[in-house]
Amino acid sequence: MHYQLTFLSALLRLKYRYIEGSDIVPFTALLLNASVAFTGFYLISKLYHANRFGSFRFRGFLIGLLTGAIGLFLMINAVQVNDEVRVDLRYLPLVLLAFYGARFPLLIATVIVASTRFLFGLTDQAVVAFIATFIISVGMWWIHRYIHHLLWQSMLLHVWALLITSISILVNLGWNTAYVELVLTFWTVGLVVGTLASLLAMDLEQATRRAKAYKHSAERDHLTGLFNRRMWEARTESLASERRVYNVLALDIDHFKHVNDTYGHPNGDLVLKRFAELLNIETRSHDIVARIGGEEFVILIYDLSPEKVAKVAERIRKRIADEAFTLSDGMTIQISVSIGIAHGKALPVESMSSLADMALYEAKDKGRNRTVVRYVSTQMFAPQ
C-alpha cells in the first residue's frame, strides 16, 4: 500500500488543470474518487471473504449495497463539467465485483449506481449514464468469464469501463476542446488508478487464498481433507457444558494393515481417501467427521436417539462393505469397518470417546464388520 499512496501523493503535487466553465479541479476530484475506491476495495474484499453475516446470498446482498453506496459517494464527489454532465470513477467498485465473479452483488450494485444517477437530475445525460453503467457491467462480466489471466483480466475490466464512460461523455458533451481535455485527464487517472487497483485486487486475492490455505492445513488432515485431531478436540471441548444429547462414533477399518502390506501404502492412501468421501456422503453437513489416526476415524452426531444413530452407523457400515475400492492399477478390493458408538448427554468428549473405543473393541472381538452401541450416563463418571 505504501507505494500506492506515495504515487498518489506525487500526482497531487502536479499542476492541476481546469475545465472551461467549471470551478472543480478534475485531477483532484478524480484522485479523491480513487482514494475512496481503494478504501472500498479493501472493505468489499474483506466482506466478500468473510464467513459471517449469515448465508452467502445475504452476504452478497450486503456487498451489493456497500458497493452501490461507494459508487454513490463517488458520484457525489464527481467532476461537475456543466449543469448536466458529471464525471467520476463510479465504475471502480463494480470492477472489483466483476474481478471476483460476484454476479449477484454486481447486479445489485449496478442497479444502485445506475439508478442513483437520477438523484442529480432527471436529464438526457442521466439516461445515457444509466444505460452506460449497465453496458459496463455486462461487458465486465463477459471479460471475467472468458479472460482467465488475472492481470490481463483486471486491466481489461478497467479499459472497458474507461472506453464506455468516454463514449457516454462524448454523447453528452460533444466533441470539443473541453471533452478532449477531460477525457485525457480521465484516461490518465483511470489507467494509473486501474493499474494500482489491479495490483491491489490481486494482492488481496492472493493474500486471502494463502490465509485460507494455511487455515486448511492447520485444521484438516492432509490426505483425506477431514478434520484432524487438533480440530476434533477444538470443536468438541465444549460438549460437557452444552447440555445436549450427542453421540460419538469411533470407526476403524478392519485389517487395514493387510491392505497396506498386500497392495502398498499408495493404494492404502487411495482407500483412505475414498473411505473419507463415503463418510462425508453418509453424514449430515453439520456432523463433525475427523481422522485421528492411520485408519481411525471419529464422528460427532448431535441429538439422535440410540436407535437412530445405530441406523446411521449401520448405513455407513453397509455402504463401506458394499463399496468397490479402486486401486491405482484399476483393480478393486472390498473392505469392512467396525464401529463403536457412545450415546450420552453433558459429558466431556474424552469420557464419551473412551466409551466409544470400548464399544469399538467389543465390535472387533465379536468378529469385526459390525456396530456396537454403549449408553452413557453422568453417574458412570461421577467422582467416587
Side-chain angles (χ1 to χ4, degrees), residues 161-202:
L162 287 168
L163 177 63
I164 299 303
T165 303
S166 299
I167 293 173
S168 68
I169 296 172
L170 177 62
V171 172
N172 284 333
L173 196 61
W175 183 272
N176 52 47
T177 302
Y179 170 76
V180 173
E181 291 184 353
L182 176 61
V183 168
L184 285 176
T185 301
F186 183 64
W187 274 81
T188 300
V189 175
L191 287 176
V192 171
V193 171
T195 301
L196 296 177
S198 298
L199 294 174
L200 175 62
M202 288 188 295

Side-chain angles (χ1 to χ4, degrees), residues 244-249 306 309 340-359 372-382:
R244 289 176 66 180
V245 170
Y246 72 96
N247 305 274
V248 173
L249 282 64
V309 76
I341 305 171
H343 172 85
K345 177 180 180 180
L347 282 168
V349 70
E350 295 83 4
S351 303
M352 292 282 282
S353 295
S354 296
L355 264 292
D357 285 339
M358 292 174 62
V372 173
V373 182
R374 290 229 173 172
Y375 305 88
V376 188
S377 66
T378 54
Q379 286 77 17
M380 293 179 63
F381 297 95

Side-chain angles (χ1 to χ4, degrees), residues 4 7-14 16 25-38 74 77 79 88-89 92 185 188-190 192-193 196:
Q4 296 167 346
F7 190 84
L8 290 176
S9 299
L11 287 175
L12 284 170
R13 291 194 294 269
L14 293 175
Y16 305 130
V25 181
F27 234 78
T28 305
L30 291 175
L31 287 176
L32 173 61
N33 266 224
S35 300
V36 172
F38 278 133
L74 295 175
N77 293 278
V79 177
D88 52 70
L89 300 177
L92 276 176
T185 301
T188 300
V189 175
V192 171
V193 171
L196 296 177

Side-chain angles (χ1 to χ4, degrees), residues 256-272:
F256 186 71
K257 184 177 184 300
H258 174 74
V259 174
N260 278 334
D261 292 343
T262 305
Y263 306 104
H265 287 276
N267 280 319
D269 289 347
L270 292 178
V271 171
L272 289 173

Side-chain angles (χ1 to χ4, degrees), residues 75-242:
M75 281 189 279
I76 293 173
N77 293 278
V79 177
Q80 188 73 48
V81 180
N82 56 39
D83 290 340
E84 290 84 21
V85 179
R86 307 173 65 84
V87 178
D88 52 70
L89 300 177
R90 75 192 73 165
Y91 69 85
L92 276 176
L94 302 179
V95 168
L96 184 61
L97 297 186
F99 178 77
Y100 283 141
R103 182 169 53 186
F104 179 58
L106 178 61
L107 175 61
I108 294 175
T110 301
V111 171
I112 294 174
V113 171
S115 301
T116 52
R117 175 60 180 86
F118 292 107
L119 296 176
F120 304 94
L122 297 174
T123 62
D124 293 341
Q125 289 76 14
V127 172
V128 172
F130 178 88
I131 296 172
T133 302
F134 277 94
I135 294 175
I136 287 172
S137 291
V138 171
M140 289 194 301
W141 181 252
W142 187 92
I143 291 170
H144 168 80
R145 185 172 180 180
Y146 293 103
I147 307 298
H148 301 294
H149 187 280
L150 291 183
L151 181 58
W152 278 110
Q153 179 190 124
S154 184
M155 290 304 301
L156 284 173
L157 291 173
H158 288 280
V159 170
W160 170 255
L162 287 168
L163 177 63
I164 299 303
T165 303
S166 299
I167 293 173
S168 68
I169 296 172
L170 177 62
V171 172
N172 284 333
L173 196 61
W175 183 272
N176 52 47
T177 302
Y179 170 76
V180 173
E181 291 184 353
L182 176 61
V183 168
L184 285 176
T185 301
F186 183 64
W187 274 81
T188 300
V189 175
L191 287 176
V192 171
V193 171
T195 301
L196 296 177
S198 298
L199 294 174
L200 175 62
M202 288 188 295
D203 284 346
L204 290 172
E205 182 66 11
Q206 290 171 0
T208 301
R209 288 179 181 178
R210 284 194 295 270
K212 287 184 175 180
Y214 294 149
K215 185 174 185 292
H216 187 274
S217 177
E219 296 179 348
R220 299 282 177 170
D221 173 61
H222 71 282
L223 179 64
T224 64
L226 300 178
F227 285 128
N228 55 25
R229 181 183 288 274
R230 175 184 175 185
M231 276 306 295
W232 168 261
E233 293 172 352
R235 296 290 292 271
T236 58
E237 63 182 356
S238 63
L239 288 174
S241 60
E242 290 183 6

